[in-house]
Amino acid sequence: MKKLYSLALCLVAFGAAAQSVSLDSCRNMALKNNKLVKIAEENIRGAGYTRKAATAAYLPGIDFTGGYMYNQHQIELLGEDAKLPTMSFDMETGKYNYNAVVGPNGVPVMDPSSGLPVPSTIALIPKEAMSFDTHNVFAGAFTLTQPIFMGGQIRALNQIAKYGESLAKSMHNQVSQEVIYKVDEAYWLVVSLKEKKNLAENLVKLVDSLRDNVKAMLDEGVATQSDYLTVEVKYNEACIALTKVDNGLSLSRMALAQICGLPVDTQMELEDESLSHTAGTPSGMMVTDMQDVYASRPDLDVLRQGIKIFESKEKLALGAMLPKIAAVGAYSFSNPNVIHGFEKKFGGGFSVGATLTIPLWHWGGNYNQYRAAKSNTAAQKLLLEDMEEKVDLQVSQAKYSFQEAHKTYDMTVNNMKSADANLKNAEIGFKEGVLTADDVIAAQTAWVKANSEKIDAEIGIRLCEVYLSKVTGTMKY
């Protein structure tokens, strides 16, 4: 499946073998396939879910709790049958008197063990009447909890979740810029090596032409064997250089394909493989307002979001020291139920109330957590200041490198013109017999060096452009 997907990407990107791939296409493929970018995208999704979960804390929570328990013994409120004395109402005294056994002398008979009169009548409560079957007990409850005031902790958690989502987006932007920069480096390396391959092929042709001329002169006796061997060695060196450049070009194409998420053997023809135009002037890339740079840099935005998160954690720690109020409602039921004398069926009822929690004394634990949160915030602010100072230096270095790249390119253009003229003069002088083969080889070497430096300078301008856009936070992708 993965191979089919990669093949589909190739067909979409290239359409046909002859179609060239632009830098934007390589960037888009890399962003779509890069694992770090995908991880950053998943982090954004996760942060969004965390924000939604934090919002839900404002709303009432409804829960159900159920349970079952088997008891070895049933509940017996009486150990034996209960015999309770009875009383009769005396109309004369208006009081209730115990119904007691009266002796022949008319005095109630007393029970020696209890010291109370012996009752003449009793009310019998059998032991079984006060025994309840609780071997199998089922119970459950639906509860509703509505936070009213949680010391500001719910709001702080929502702020943390919101800033966490912003932080994830900034980290995604930071990772994307790093991927773009790697793509540009690999892309322009391919362009550079393709130009150097063309240069190496031209050098091989030049040296081969010189070798034929020297061979003809050797046959005519106007050149020595040493002259021919010198040119032959130079020809072999040019062929070796061409082979190395060709191998490097193949490897650089593989590296670019790998960065784009394609199979390394993908044949990629790049749109800019022929450097037909030069870069513009450096004035358009100059940046003077560092506040705009600070606001645009995703890595600095990560630190700013971190500061906001730490400030919200301060509020979270402060909320742990404040009272908390919540409203509670419940519907509880059980079998047997206690509402109707342990009746063997489900029964229950509603209840409502409120809870209040006031932290009183925790030996300074909560307060020290609050102080620790403030220290973390202060450290994060110092880190942001340090990073802004480093960004100042980074932007300055990028500006100088960009200006230097343009100056270097201008000088290489002049050097190449001189090398072209020098090579032509050497070839003419060699044909006229006033210069030797060594002079032509030296001119060819200087010509190759000048052209190679021009290629490096032009590629350097493009890399400086993308690096400057990266450090100033203006990179478009």
Side-chain angles (χ1 to χ4, degrees), residues 71-216:
N71 298 301
Q72 179 182 1
H73 302 287
Q74 66 179 5
I75 295 177
E76 296 178 350
L77 299 182
L78 298 177
E80 58 184 11
D81 295 343
K83 300 174 182 178
L84 303 179
T86 61
M87 302 178 74
S88 298
F89 185 72
D90 188 344
M91 297 292 294
E92 295 180 358
T93 62
K95 296 180 180 180
Y96 283 94
N97 298 319
Y98 282 103
N99 296 320
V101 177
V102 181
N105 55 0
V107 178
V109 179
M110 306 301 291
D111 185 354
S113 61
S114 64
L116 298 174
V118 177
S120 59
T121 59
I122 61 171
L124 178 64
I125 301 178
K127 174 183 177 182
E128 290 77 10
M130 300 300 291
S131 298
F132 306 100
D133 183 8
T134 55
H135 290 299
N136 298 287
V137 178
F138 301 87
F142 290 95
T143 58
L144 182 147
T145 304
Q146 173 61 61
I148 298 176
F149 178 73
M150 294 287 111
Q153 289 186 314
I154 295 179
R155 185 171 182 273
L157 286 173
N158 274 269
Q159 289 177 335
I160 291 173
K162 182 182 71 173
Y163 297 141
E165 187 174 17
S166 298
L167 185 146
K169 292 178 181 178
S170 296
M171 293 187 68
H172 175 269
N173 293 337
Q174 184 178 359
V175 172
S176 298
Q177 287 193 1
E178 292 293 338
V179 171
I180 292 299
Y181 187 67
K182 289 181 179 179
V183 170
D184 283 30
E185 279 188 319
Y187 183 93
W188 292 114
L189 178 61
V190 172
V191 174
S192 173
L193 291 175
K194 180 61 183 298
E195 286 294 306
K196 289 186 177 181
K197 178 184 177 182
N198 295 336
L199 181 62
E201 290 174 346
N202 290 332
L203 177 63
V204 170
K205 292 179 182 178
L206 288 174
V207 179
D208 187 43
S209 176
L210 177 63
R211 184 180 62 167
D212 292 341
N213 292 333
V214 173
K215 181 67 169 63

Side-chain angles (χ1 to χ4, degrees), residues 373-447:
K374 289 183 71 66
S375 295
N376 291 333
T377 303
Q380 191 76 357
K381 289 180 179 179
L382 291 173
L383 180 60
L384 176 60
E385 292 177 3
D386 181 64
M387 284 298 297
E388 288 179 346
E389 293 175 358
K390 291 180 179 178
V391 167
D392 288 342
L393 178 60
Q394 202 174 44
V395 171
S396 298
Q397 290 174 338
K399 286 181 182 179
Y400 287 125
S401 297
F402 185 72
Q403 293 172 336
E404 182 180 348
H406 272 272
K407 292 178 180 178
T408 301
Y409 175 77
D410 292 338
M411 288 187 290
T412 58
V413 170
N414 294 329
N415 290 341
M416 191 183 70
K417 292 178 181 179
S418 300
D420 286 339
N422 183 49
L423 180 59
K424 290 179 182 179
N425 293 333
E427 290 175 344
I428 294 173
F430 178 73
K431 290 178 180 179
E432 294 179 353
V434 295
L435 294 177
T436 65
D438 289 336
D439 295 326
V440 177
I441 290 174
Q444 290 174 344
T445 302
W447 179 82

Side-chain angles (χ1 to χ4, degrees), residues 6-24:
S6 299
L7 180 59
L9 281 176
C10 292
L11 292 177
V12 172
F14 308 137
Q19 184 176 352
S20 59
V21 185
S22 66
L23 178 59
D24 283 339

Side-chain angles (χ1 to χ4, degrees), residues 23-96:
L23 178 59
D24 283 339
S25 297
C26 292
R27 288 178 169 186
N28 291 332
M29 286 188 288
L31 290 175
K32 186 174 182 179
N33 298 319
N34 186 269
K35 296 297 187 297
L36 294 178
V37 174
K38 291 182 178 180
I39 291 173
E41 291 172 350
E42 289 298 327
N43 289 338
I44 292 176
R45 293 191 188 96
Y49 297 141
T50 301
R51 177 180 53 78
K52 293 179 180 179
T55 303
Y58 286 114
L59 304 176
I62 301 175
D63 301 287
F64 170 76
T65 303
Y68 164 79
M69 180 175 290
Y70 171 78
N71 298 301
Q72 179 182 1
H73 302 287
Q74 66 179 5
I75 295 177
E76 296 178 350
L77 299 182
L78 298 177
E80 58 184 11
D81 295 343
K83 300 174 182 178
L84 303 179
T86 61
M87 302 178 74
S88 298
F89 185 72
D90 188 344
M91 297 292 294
E92 295 180 358
T93 62
K95 296 180 180 180
Y96 283 94

